[in-house]
Amino acid sequence: MMSINEAQLAAYASLPDEALSALAKGGDRDAEETLVKRYTRLVRQLARPYYLAGGDSDDLIQEGMIGLICGVREYDGSRPASFRTFAEICIRNRLYSAVRAAVRDKHAPLNQSVPLEIPFFDGQGSLYGAMAGGDPQDLIIGREGVQDTLSDVRKQLSDFEAKILGYYLDGLTTQEMAKAVSRSPKSVDNAVQRIRRKAARHIDSGDISKG
């Protein structure tokens, strides 16, 4: 038999985001926990391009989770935006703030990272200069840039690595990826590290236009 708390959590699992957010704003921590769990994968999904480009995974996830919790507590259901849209904005803003802070701090974990959601070239075909002293605000663009920027990196990956990259950017955990490809978690983790090294070399070389 389920406890009262377990039964409540089970009931909350069927509630829409907006209803859970309203409960959370009223101080219901179970509702907040339900929403946070529901959107943890989105946090991983949004943070991972930065990790591949040189950021620290744990730091990025922590920043993204802070953004998510802020979204849960600040969402206004009377506004036209859905909770998911608002939460995504809050998570992205928190990640962007972390990257901007890292740009200003030479010793921060993200100081060598180049967000993979920016166009690498401006109108003249030169590498975007934001990380070399330009305006960090220039780093912010739409999510479609991820696929465009990684297209060249994918050319350097094996079939297995390319498959792992797809799952990784979708926010799957190591265990979930291992199950999907019928490999061990260690094998998956090794593939992620190889992808990260290849992405870093590609970015550091500035050879973004060549396969």
Side-chain angles (χ1 to χ4, degrees):
M1 179 180 295
M2 289 193 297
S3 65
I4 294 176
N5 187 59
E6 290 174 334
Q8 182 169 307
L9 290 175
Y12 280 1
S14 64
L15 290 178
D17 297 338
E18 290 72 19
L20 288 170
S21 180
L23 290 169
K25 288 183 69 173
D28 190 327
R29 297 283 75 90
D30 287 338
E32 180 175 277
E33 180 182 347
T34 301
L35 264 182
V36 168
K37 288 182 177 179
R38 188 176 291 180
Y39 280 88
T40 295
R41 178 174 171 178
L42 178 63
V43 171
R44 293 197 302 266
Q45 186 177 18
L46 297 179
R48 279 176 169 176
Y50 295 96
Y51 171 67
L52 288 178
D56 182 272
S57 180
D58 290 340
D59 286 349
L60 289 167
I61 294 298
Q62 182 177 5
E63 293 294 336
M65 292 302 292
I66 291 172
L68 172 58
I69 292 172
C70 288
V72 172
R73 297 178 179 178
E74 297 176 10
Y75 177 70
D76 184 352
S78 67
R79 300 295 180 88
S82 67
F83 173 80
R84 181 184 178 87
T85 297
F86 183 75
E88 183 170 338
I89 291 171
C90 290
I91 296 166
R92 287 182 183 278
N93 284 347
R94 187 77 188 193
L95 291 170
Y96 294 145
S97 294
V99 172
R100 288 197 296 269
V103 170
R104 294 191 295 266
D105 184 353
K106 295 180 181 180
H107 302 292
L110 298 177
N111 71 311
Q112 296 300 321
S113 72
V114 177
L116 297 185
E117 296 192 27
I118 66 172
F120 277 86
F121 297 92
D122 58 22
Q124 286 71 46
S126 61
L127 189 64
Y128 238 63
M131 283 297 178
D135 185 357
Q137 294 285 352
D138 291 340
L139 299 177
I140 303 175
I141 70 158
R143 57 186 161 225
E144 68 277 359
V146 175
Q147 297 301 325
D148 293 339
T149 303
L150 287 177
S151 61
D152 287 320
V153 175
R154 281 193 173 90
K155 297 174 184 177
Q156 301 182 13
L157 305 180
S158 67
D159 290 343
F160 176 65
E161 290 168 346
K163 184 177 295 186
I164 291 299
L165 176 61
Y167 287 135
Y168 188 78
L169 292 176
D170 280 342
L172 272 65
T173 65
T174 299
Q175 295 291 339
E176 290 170 339
M177 288 187 284
K179 183 176 181 180
V181 297
S182 300
R183 297 284 189 91
S184 69
K186 181 64 175 177
S187 176
V188 168
D189 185 64
N190 287 341
V192 170
Q193 296 308 317
R194 290 196 300 273
I195 293 166
R196 194 182 189 211
R197 288 194 295 270
K198 290 179 181 181
R201 286 199 300 268
H202 207 53
I203 292 169
D204 289 344
S205 71
D207 188 17
I208 309 297
S209 62
K210 297 178 182 178

